[in-house]
Amino acid sequence: MFRFREVQLVRRAWVANRQFCALVRQEPALLRTQTQRATKYRHFSFESWGMALSRSAPVAYAQEFLETVHMNSGLSWCTTIVATSLALRIVVTLPLAVYQSHIIARLANLDKEIAQIAHELRGETARAVRMYNLDEKQAKYLYRRSLKKQINNLIVRDNCHPFKSSLVIWFQLPLWISLSVALRNMAYMMPYQDMAAQALFLELSVGGALWFPNLTLPDPLFVMPVLLGITNLLNIEFHALQHTKQLTKVRKVLTYTLRGMSVLMIPIASIMPTDVTLYWLCSSGFALGQNLLMINPKFRRACRIPRTANESQTPFRDLLDRLKKRFEFNKTGT
């Protein structure tokens, strides 16, 4: 406890050094201009891209946000990472997931109306073929163009553009990358090894808990990497079990690819600092809980998500039944 307070005092004493170091790092404008003129070609590599990412503005904002939460809350770094991860998920990801479910439900409810319009358009196209002597190619073109126009009108009417059904990933992925790189920078004293970075490194080295007291080192018992892989696999299998129909070839390839990436995350997480692995585990765990929450009929009605024709009133029992059928199919197949 005394060591932790001592490290905090050191950090607060040198926090003003950050601004000075930022001024020292800046090159003179004349020298920078001459360097740009002399350098005709620039060579890019994974190292240069990684360094550019670690110096990017979103990563800097993410690190500043984490440091602000830690200093104002007085929590340990382990608790700060867990609390910040869950808070961002609740404040940012969960509302977007609810809105995304609204869009998906509206799109699903358009299927019956689209089928009726398609049936009517087939009849009108057949009459147009007889009246104007259209060939098969012209008839298909007119049918597809008319159907697309009608579908677009329905989408505009219900405000359910398909792109909105992927809002979560477009907000979640940049946030996940920024926080992951920020935590890695903090553990490796990147991108600048000034006194403020050293003080932050010392705080992280004593800010762990349980079997991982040092957040700058990988998990010594490999517990969190294994839990991370299991949680990611559970998320993928959850989405796979949601599809009652037979999976298409593209979706099968995507599912197996994601499974492989989940397994690959175990060795990757085993060499990453514990603060990064802890954030990944919290994020994946909340994602699993969020997925289970979004299929709960009571929660969907509380969020006023429209009912759909394929919505189950016993979703968890249905998941277990599909899981049992899959195991039975695998046993009979082998």
Side-chain angles (χ1 to χ4, degrees):
M1 186 67 181
F2 174 75
R3 186 183 177 188
F4 178 72
R5 291 183 177 179
E6 183 181 0
V7 170
Q8 280 192 328
L9 290 176
V10 173
R11 170 164 173 73
R12 290 173 182 174
W14 291 104
V15 70
N17 184 64
R18 183 182 296 275
Q19 297 179 353
F20 173 75
C21 293
L23 293 175
V24 172
R25 296 188 204 107
Q26 294 179 356
E27 298 178 350
L30 180 60
L31 179 61
R32 185 165 58 247
T33 304
Q34 292 177 353
T35 304
Q36 291 176 353
R37 291 177 180 175
T39 306
K40 187 175 181 180
Y41 300 102
R42 299 185 65 181
H43 301 281
F44 294 96
S45 62
F46 286 107
E47 184 178 358
S48 63
W49 280 102
M51 187 58 67
L53 181 61
S54 65
R55 294 176 179 175
S56 61
V59 173
Y61 290 141
Q63 181 173 342
E64 185 178 356
F65 174 72
L66 288 169
E67 294 180 19
T68 302
V69 173
H70 172 67
M71 295 186 67
N72 293 334
S73 64
L75 300 173
S76 65
W77 268 111
C78 176
T79 311
T80 300
I81 293 171
V82 175
T84 304
S85 173
L86 297 181
L88 289 175
R89 280 281 186 170
I90 294 173
V91 174
V92 178
T93 309
L94 184 59
L96 288 175
V98 172
Y99 180 71
Q100 179 175 292
S101 297
H102 273 271
I103 300 299
I104 295 174
R106 293 174 193 171
L107 285 172
N109 290 333
L110 289 179
D111 290 343
K112 185 181 294 185
E113 196 168 352
I114 291 174
Q116 183 179 358
I117 293 174
H119 178 71
E120 295 176 357
L121 285 177
R122 290 193 196 98
E124 294 179 1
T125 304
R127 288 192 294 270
V129 169
R130 292 192 298 268
M131 291 176 60
Y132 302 105
N133 295 325
L134 301 177
D135 56 15
E136 184 179 357
K137 185 177 181 180
Q138 292 175 334
K140 287 183 178 180
Y141 173 76
L142 290 175
Y143 170 76
R144 291 173 181 173
R145 189 181 68 174
S146 300
L147 182 60
K148 183 178 180 181
K149 184 178 179 180
Q150 294 296 328
I151 292 175
N152 289 335
N153 292 335
L154 293 177
I155 289 175
V156 172
R157 185 196 68 185
D158 291 352
N159 190 19
C160 56
H161 195 280
F163 178 77
K164 295 181 180 180
S165 62
S166 61
L167 280 178
V168 174
I169 190 65
W170 295 111
F171 281 86
Q172 179 181 336
L173 188 60
L175 182 64
W176 184 85
I177 293 175
S178 299
L179 287 172
S180 299
V181 178
L183 289 169
R184 187 204 63 173
N185 287 352
M186 294 159 61
Y188 290 157
M189 292 186 290
M190 293 176 60
Y192 308 107
Q193 296 184 357
D194 51 21
M195 292 184 178
Q198 293 176 9
L200 183 59
F201 175 83
L202 291 175
E203 286 188 13
L204 288 172
S205 63
V206 295
L210 301 176
W211 70 91
F212 51 97
N214 192 341
L215 293 176
T216 64
L217 298 176
D219 187 352
L221 300 181
F222 301 98
V223 175
M224 282 190 285
V226 174
L227 290 177
L228 175 64
I230 294 174
T231 308
N232 288 335
L233 284 174
L234 288 176
N235 278 312
I236 294 169
E237 296 305 320
F238 172 83
H239 288 290
L241 290 173
Q242 288 295 303
H243 299 280
T244 56
K245 299 180 181 179
Q246 188 176 2
L247 296 178
T248 61
K249 187 176 181 179
V250 176
R251 190 171 290 277
K252 283 184 179 180
V253 172
L254 180 61
T255 302
Y256 281 108
T257 303
L258 292 176
R259 288 171 180 168
M261 292 176 62
S262 299
V263 176
L264 185 62
M265 284 295 292
I266 297 177
I268 293 176
S270 64
I271 62 175
M272 295 297 292
T274 307
D275 60 347
V276 179
T277 309
L278 179 62
Y279 167 66
W280 288 353
L281 180 60
C282 293
S283 181
S284 297
F286 188 89
L288 180 60
Q290 176 181 291
N291 291 331
L292 295 174
L293 185 64
M294 293 308 301
I295 65 173
N296 190 344
K298 293 182 179 179
F299 180 78
R300 293 175 68 88
R301 299 293 83 78
C303 296
R304 298 182 179 180
I305 299 175
R307 294 180 182 271
T308 59
N310 57 353
E311 180 180 338
S312 174
Q313 298 302 315
T314 57
F316 303 108
R317 186 185 303 171
D318 295 341
L319 283 176
L320 290 176
D321 293 340
R322 292 170 194 163
L323 190 61
K324 291 178 181 178
K325 289 181 180 179
R326 175 179 292 185
F327 280 114
E328 291 176 359
F329 176 78
N330 291 335
K331 288 181 180 179
T332 56
T334 55

